[in-house]
Amino acid sequence: MPHFPAPLQSRLPAVGTTIFTVMSRLAQDTGAINLSQGFPDFNAEDALFDRVSHWMHAGANQYAPMAGCLPLREAIVRKVEALYGTAYDVEHEVTVTAGATQALFTAVAALVHAGDEVIVFEPVYDAYGPAVELAGGKLVRMQLRAPDYRPDWAAVAAAIGPRTRMIMINSPHNPTATVWSADDLAKLAALTRGSGIIVVSDEVYEHIVFDDQPHRGCAAHPELAARSIVVSSFGKTYHVTGWKVGYVVGPRELMAEFRKVHQFNVFTVNTPVQLALADYMADAERYLRLSAFYRAKRDHFCHALAGSGFELLPSHGTYFQLARYRALSDRPDTDFCNWLTRDVGVAAIPLSAFFADGRDEGVIRFCFAKNEATLSAACERLRGVEPMAGR
Ligand SMILES: Cc1ncc(COP(=O)(O)O)c(C=O)c1O
């Protein structure tokens, strides 16, 4: 086995393997039911696969245009205008990406300069921090606090200064399953008014919002739309997380910079899949029915855990459910998740993984993007957890 012959200075010294990989591997090794990583255990519709196969056989197998296949960009722009009211320009204001992760990374690499400050809200999705660090930016971490995890706008106002280049937001929010209100967007708009601050709005769960609330995205707020790169993911919307296709929309000035990096970062994204997604998007019901589809799973999961020692926090969107376990154990959350996986046979994610300082509130995250049989089997095991069984 070859070894690099000199000391290596890491550009991300604090970063190890993500908790999602760690917990999924542990679930696999122990045979536990995996409610940790956020992906469905059911398949997408054959109709989608048929379109991919169609385009492959039709010869659509070479590089797509750098910004994305025109039919897909047109379908995205139509959807965004119909749902949120902003008409983005197909040529200059929409780009198809290799999933939301690449979109987020590219947005930061293209728009954050060394020394710039980037505001994020903790608990924060783990891809944001390393992207900012690699760009030479400085993370400014706002805290969302249990049990409602609302932004503290006075704290955000105090944190904004001359070095603030970007604010990264995420609604519906992973991991807390909170959804921003119209007032939250109004506050953000007021705080950024007159500034050059760029908003990166991670809206990968835009179609998974419960309890008759609308998703309030930056594209629905004209003032924020003008300063935002809005990120979405077909993986989340169409149950194909492994395909890694997403998109961004934003004003042309920001998109021009985004594309300068995108063209060297990935250049272009899987052609037959793009064309298939364009066809599949023609039926709006396929994304419009997603909220009801996941609400039924959330309700099934919560109902099946009623009476257990887990205290369920509200889940207003996404396919995640937070649970407090302090009535069951006083272990740190990472230990508790390890124990739950090995001894109870259900894998979850410790919330401390989403905090830079490892803040432990005795809260764990379950993913309910699973078949009802999977959820029922997991809940039966979870209901059996006795107080202090795992200490
Ligand atoms: C908040 C958030 N942003 C981005 C992503 C990444 O999306 P993709 O798989 O399209 O890269 C995820 C996936 O879990 C997520 O939860």
Side-chain angles (χ1 to χ4, degrees), residues 154-375:
V156 179
I160 290 177
R163 304 248 43 178
T164 309
R165 169 80 58 179
M166 182 179 281
I167 302 181
M168 299 181 80
I169 64 175
N170 170 217
S171 176
H173 186 249
N174 175 12
T176 65
T178 53
V179 172
W180 275 24
S181 65
D183 186 53
D184 289 322
L185 290 186
K187 292 264 172 37
L188 181 64
L191 287 181
T192 51
R193 196 165 294 145
S195 77
I197 295 173
I198 297 157
V199 173
V200 170
S201 186
D202 178 348
E203 302 182 17
V204 298
Y205 301 103
E206 62 176 318
H207 300 301
I208 314 178
V209 183
F210 310 133
D211 310 321
D212 300 322
Q213 308 177 64
H215 163 61
R216 292 191 177 83
C218 285
H221 191 292
E223 201 182 338
L224 287 175
R227 63 170 71 250
S228 299
I229 294 266
V230 178
V231 179
S232 192
S233 167
F234 291 110
K236 308 291 181 189
T237 301
Y238 292 138
H239 317 311
V240 286
T241 60
W243 287 9
K244 299 298 290 186
V245 184
Y247 66 84
V248 290
V249 291
R252 80 165 59 187
E253 297 79 3
L254 297 184
M255 196 59 73
E257 294 305 312
F258 181 95
R259 288 182 182 175
K260 286 183 191 174
V261 177
H262 176 79
Q263 66 187 337
F264 298 118
N265 189 200
V266 290
F267 178 51
T268 178
V269 176
N270 191 310
T271 307
V273 164
Q274 286 196 54
L275 293 169
L277 287 167
D279 294 343
Y280 199 69
M281 281 183 81
D283 181 356
E285 269 309 303
R286 289 175 170 143
Y287 50 83
L288 294 178
R289 67 178 173 230
L290 207 62
S291 288
F293 174 80
Y294 276 119
R295 185 174 54 227
K297 292 195 182 297
R298 178 201 66 174
D299 291 349
H300 177 82
F301 184 65
C302 292
H303 185 72
L305 275 187
S308 75
F310 290 93
E311 182 198 339
L312 302 179
L313 301 182
S315 171
H316 296 300
T318 75
Y319 44 51
F320 300 115
Q321 173 66 58
L322 293 187
R324 279 190 172 130
Y325 63 86
R326 277 288 175 250
L328 295 170
S329 169
D330 50 18
R331 285 183 183 221
D333 64 357
T334 304
D335 285 6
F336 184 73
C337 284
N338 273 313
W339 173 80
L340 204 62
T341 309
R342 290 177 196 281
D343 287 41
V344 178
V346 180
I349 297 285
L351 212 68
S352 62
F354 294 83
F355 292 98
D357 66 359
R359 190 166 99 209
D360 181 356
E361 299 176 319
V363 177
I364 61 177
R365 189 199 79 179
F366 293 111
C367 169
F368 55 76
K370 309 292 168 190
N371 281 306
E372 296 209 342
T374 313
L375 295 175

Side-chain angles (χ1 to χ4, degrees), residues 76-149:
I76 293 166
V77 162
R78 268 197 303 274
K79 179 198 86 167
V80 173
E81 185 172 7
L83 291 184
Y84 308 119
T86 296
Y88 288 94
D89 179 76
V90 169
E91 277 311 311
H92 303 287
E93 298 181 336
V94 53
T95 303
V96 179
T97 62
T101 311
Q102 182 245 314
L104 292 161
F105 192 92
T106 299
V108 170
L111 297 164
V112 172
H113 296 244
D116 285 349
E117 292 182 358
V118 177
I119 293 179
V120 298
F121 293 83
E122 283 197 331
V124 64
Y125 185 63
D126 66 347
Y128 300 4
V132 172
E133 277 179 49
L134 286 174
K138 183 170 167 269
L139 283 161
V140 177
R141 300 167 188 277
M142 299 289 103
Q143 300 302 313
L144 305 171
R145 299 205 177 269
D148 58 354
Y149 297 103

